[in-house]
Amino acid sequence: MAKVLVFVEQRDGKLKKASFELLGASAKAGNETHAVIIGDGVAGLANECASYGASKVHVAQDGALKNYTNEAYARALVAAIKTVSPEIVLASHTPMGRDLLPSVAAQVDGALATDCTSLAFSGASLTLKRPVYSGKAMADVEYMGSGIKMATVRPNSIGVPKPEAGKTADATNLTVDLGGLKTKILEVVKGNSARPDVTEAGVVVSGGRSLKSADNFKIIEELADTLGAAVGASRAAVDAGYRPHRDQVGQTGKVVSPSLYIACGISGAIQHLAGMRTSKCIVAINTDPQAPIFQVADYGVVGDLFQVVPALTAECKKLKE
Amino acid sequence: MNLYVCIKQVPDTETKIKVNGDGSGIDAAGIKWIMSPYDEFAVEEALRVKEKNAGSTVTVITAGPDRTVEALRTALAMGADNAIHVELPETADSAFAAKALAGALKKEAKVDIVYFGKEAIDDGAAQVPQLVATYIGVPSVGTVVGIEYNGTTLKCKREIEGGAFEMVEVSQPVVVSGSKGLNEPRYATLPNIMKAKKKEVKKMSLADVGASPSDQKIKMKGLQLPPPKQAGKKIEGDAAAQAKALVTALHNEAKVI
Ligand SMILES: Cc1cc2nc3c(=O)[nH]c(=O)nc-3n(C[C@H](O)[C@H](O)[C@H](O)COP(=O)(O)OP(=O)(O)OC[C@H]3O[C@@H](n4cnc5c(N)ncnc54)[C@H](O)[C@@H]3O)c2cc1C
């Protein structure tokens, strides 16, 4: 058993599913599981943390913490660590978690392993695996020295536990010195997409160069929306201007591991595979039976995506009815 | 302005990884080495700022084994003025590398902006920019896809999830890590590549920068290639039949929809 502190991430007062994965995994292992929420007026989120496994909830609340900045959030998380004195600190490998944890590790002289895809608790330590060379290989992590053991975990790697209804926790306020900050958020520009982010979605539908235009991506979007999925793209599709770079999956794009990845008209270049091969179930739709993508596919559909994808959307709609 | 860029040399993205004998790393034989792709955005950004601010210098720094000097030469060929190579063992982790880079930066008279790529595509740790920022005591802004410069303040456009952006104002000195979208990196011309070969690269030892192997916090071991996938199922028939069969399989067999 260990004392574990989980950085529970919120944006606009909404907690991230990926944080629940960490709370659940820690609680299931029988750890003393603390949650820390940082934001402005976030104490009301404490019960939700409790329902996913937190036994204690700490909150850092301040106008200066309303939106994320590395500087202010690092001070808050360091304050939480000083209060809780955990053996282990966990966060999700999200745009916020991955930016924050290194700064905190440097301040508390902790040992940090980032972007882990499997985690198991062993006494007061952690057994971790992480992809290296963008998923071309996997490595075990060995912690050195006696510092706090810290890790960021790739979203969807563990799975979200079932919440336990009726569980409650009191939020304990942390005191954080927020004087003399050198960074300031001017504005958070919202994305114009109602779809989930490609790194967080449970299902990703990706299209390649073969879509031939931004407009044709509509059929990919329709399938994605039917499945509540995110839209991804190959670099060739991004370079051709069919999709923004934020949708790019691969070695120089996003690394994703959804439970289902559907690659439509993507050849499966080594750089693309690096970004999606840890997906639990991979479907490839491609006219070329020799396309390398079929080597990693659990289900291979040799066919024209312009026919198969709309047919798939129709079948999925039937399933939902 | 005193501009710094920290870069890393990594295997080319085409590389097929082979694990070395004891699983502590990769077999380096036959690997083509490149500057990590995100670092190119960092070098380009520094060069553009230099070009707009007369009297500025761009210094590139890398920490790594001897081969990594080649990455410095690439940056010099792109237009960097000075280069520093800190000798660091192959097996160093982010914390050790960051201590080495921070140590080199602390020896400099004045540091205004330190640019990084948002992550290196070998270990993909995405730690070093923030670690260095903390070690040298300056703020950091990560995954930046646009910067507006006003005097000594920077307005950074930081990419977050769901197509959203954070607009962050920060004052110098500062660490910024860049991502695709920040700019279009230039190619080095042949004459500049030739010239870069003759430029001096300043060598620093771990003792020079005050770093040591005890700065290392984690170690990678037991490297393994992903298990080869079993041959997948082929879904036959016309498009309608394939769609039906696939959805049935995903629903009943794989249970993912
Ligand atoms: C430094 C570097 C970094 C890179 N990083 C990335 C990265 O992060 N992500 C990435 O994806 N790539 C990356 N690449 C590019 C990569 O090498 C490939 O060029 C790219 O992935 C190809 O994209 P694609 O599969 O869409 O296109 P193509 O390779 O052109 O493949 C198109 C596929 O569509 C199939 N097809 C054509 N028409 C149809 C149809 N009607 N129906 C069904 N199938 C059809 C074809 O058979 C073919 O297999 C990188 C390259 C370099 C050099």
Side-chain angles (χ1 to χ4, degrees):
Chain A
M1 202 195 87
K3 199 193 264 189
V4 178
L5 177 65
V6 177
F7 168 63
V8 174
E9 185 176 332
Q10 62 84 27
R11 279 195 197 271
D12 300 323
K14 212 172 162 290
L15 297 177
K16 291 264 175 192
K17 267 198 323 209
S19 303
F20 301 148
E21 297 185 59
L22 304 176
L23 288 174
S26 173
K28 198 171 150 205
N31 294 314
E32 181 182 327
T33 305
H34 296 248
V36 54
I37 318 172
I38 303 172
D40 190 19
V42 289
L45 301 168
N47 288 344
E48 205 176 349
C49 291
S51 74
Y52 284 100
S55 50
K56 288 211 173 69
V57 180
H58 309 263
V59 291
Q61 311 187 89
D62 194 284
L65 296 168
K66 182 172 193 301
N67 291 303
Y68 174 78
T69 62
N70 176 285
E71 195 184 12
Y73 271 50
R75 289 195 201 175
L77 186 49
V78 168
I81 290 171
K82 296 220 163 110
T83 304
V84 176
S85 302
E87 282 137 349
I88 294 171
V89 176
L90 300 176
S92 305
H93 199 70
T94 52
M96 192 188 289
R98 58 179 265 158
D99 192 65
L100 176 62
L101 268 274
S103 302
V104 173
Q107 288 182 38
V108 302
D109 201 28
L112 172 63
T114 49
D115 198 18
C116 302
T117 51
S118 90
L119 140 152
F121 297 88
S122 37
S125 191
L126 281 174
T127 310
L128 302 162
K129 276 194 190 301
R130 65 184 305 275
V132 287
Y133 301 97
S134 326
K136 290 176 189 174
M138 294 296 296
D140 298 318
V141 177
E142 182 182 322
Y143 284 113
M144 301 168 79
S146 56
I148 300 174
K149 297 174 174 61
M150 305 174 68
T152 65
V153 179
R154 188 180 290 185
N156 292 328
S157 298
I158 305 172
V160 180
K162 262 208 161 60
E164 223 176 293
K167 276 229 165 175
T168 58
D170 292 327
T172 319
N173 270 303
L174 295 162
T175 314
V176 187
D177 175 11
L178 293 165
L181 291 169
K182 294 185 206 95
T183 26
K184 183 167 99 193
I185 283 283
L186 300 173
E187 187 188 358
V188 179
V189 184
K190 289 266 160 358
N192 51 6
S193 168
R195 279 181 208 104
D197 190 70
V198 73
T199 57
E200 295 175 6
V203 181
V204 175
V205 185
S206 282
R209 189 200 317 266
S210 52
L211 263 297
K212 294 207 193 78
S213 73
D215 220 33
N216 285 342
F217 256 91
K218 270 204 197 100
I219 60 170
I220 302 291
E221 291 179 342
E222 277 164 20
L223 177 56
D225 291 344
T226 310
L227 293 168
V231 173
S234 72
R235 169 160 156 186
V238 170
D239 285 353
Y242 307 161
R243 299 301 296 181
H245 177 250
R246 64 166 195 265
D247 292 349
Q248 183 178 316
V249 171
Q251 196 160 10
T252 52
K254 301 284 161 54
V255 179
V256 302
S257 48
S259 50
L260 174 61
Y261 187 88
I262 306 180
C264 309
I266 291 177
S267 59
I270 187 166
Q271 297 96 343
H272 189 81
L273 299 184
M276 44 64 77
R277 70 181 315 151
T278 56
S279 307
K280 269 131 241 145
C281 178
I282 297 171
V283 172
I285 302 167
N286 199 304
T287 42
D288 174 9
Q290 303 306 322
I293 190 78
F294 286 121
Q295 286 164 21
V296 299
D298 299 281
Y299 296 99
V301 179
V302 177
D304 182 351
L305 74 91
F306 290 101
Q307 289 172 15
V308 177
V309 172
L312 212 48
T313 307
E315 283 299 328
C316 290
K317 277 189 180 146
K318 274 193 218 159
L319 189 70
K320 298 266 138 101
E321 275 159 16
Chain B
M1 289 168 79
N2 298 302
L3 307 163
Y4 292 83
V5 190
C6 295
I7 65 173
K8 187 174 188 186
Q9 193 190 42
V10 299
D12 183 76
T13 59
E14 287 288 339
T15 307
K16 285 225 163 67
I17 298 296
K18 283 191 230 98
V19 176
N20 67 7
D22 64 358
S24 65
I26 56 166
D27 178 357
I31 286 183
K32 185 180 154 209
W33 298 94
I34 58 167
M35 185 196 304
S36 185
Y38 292 111
D39 297 349
E40 293 179 7
F41 301 112
V43 175
E44 178 64 35
E45 190 66 16
L47 294 175
R48 290 187 187 194
V49 171
K50 174 193 147 163
E51 283 155 9
K52 289 205 190 91
N53 295 276
S56 300
T57 57
V58 173
T59 303
V60 281
I61 313 180
T62 196
D66 281 340
R67 59 169 164 77
T68 60
V69 171
E70 276 314 303
L72 293 175
R73 300 245 177 249
T74 306
L76 288 169
M78 286 172 77
D81 303 289
N82 312 305
I84 301 173
H85 170 220
V86 186
E87 294 172 301
L88 184 77
E90 189 83 56
T91 49
D93 71 341
S94 302
F96 190 4
K99 273 274 158 70
L101 294 168
L105 285 163
K106 281 189 201 158
K107 298 258 157 170
E108 297 292 300
K110 184 167 174 277
V111 173
D112 293 317
I113 307 177
V114 189
Y115 296 94
F116 287 82
K118 75 166 170 109
E119 67 183 271
I121 61 161
D122 53 357
D123 62 13
Q127 293 197 34
V128 174
Q130 300 95 304
L131 292 175
V132 168
T134 310
Y135 295 153
I136 66 172
V138 308
S140 76
V141 186
T143 319
V144 169
V145 295
I147 308 176
E148 259 177 50
Y149 300 85
N150 303 307
T152 57
T153 58
L154 281 67
K155 199 169 133 187
C156 301
K157 184 176 181 188
R158 179 176 129 77
E159 190 180 55
I160 57 170
E161 62 270 34
F165 298 97
E166 292 167 350
M167 306 303 289
V168 187
E169 191 176 77
V170 64
S171 50
Q172 294 173 11
V174 61
V175 164
V176 177
S177 79
S179 186
K180 185 160 170 169
L182 183 57
N183 50 48
E184 257 330 302
R186 69 195 64 188
Y187 289 103
T189 60
L190 194 58
N192 285 343
I193 293 171
M194 300 314 287
K195 263 190 254 161
K197 287 194 172 145
K198 292 194 201 95
K199 282 198 190 165
E200 192 210 346
V201 172
K202 183 172 157 192
K203 247 197 199 331
M204 296 181 92
S205 68
L206 288 176
D208 293 335
V209 297
S212 87
S214 65
D215 292 320
Q216 179 134 356
K217 300 286 187 193
I218 60 169
K219 196 158 86 183
M220 296 298 136
K221 54 176 193 180
L223 247 71
Q224 275 186 338
L225 300 184
K229 269 207 127 150
Q230 287 185 5
K233 272 201 182 150
K234 279 256 164 339
I235 310 277
E236 313 282 354
D238 65 8
Q242 284 174 320
K244 204 177 173 82
L246 180 60
V247 169
T248 305
L250 293 177
H251 185 60
N252 296 333
E253 196 175 79
K255 298 189 172 26
V256 287
I257 60 170

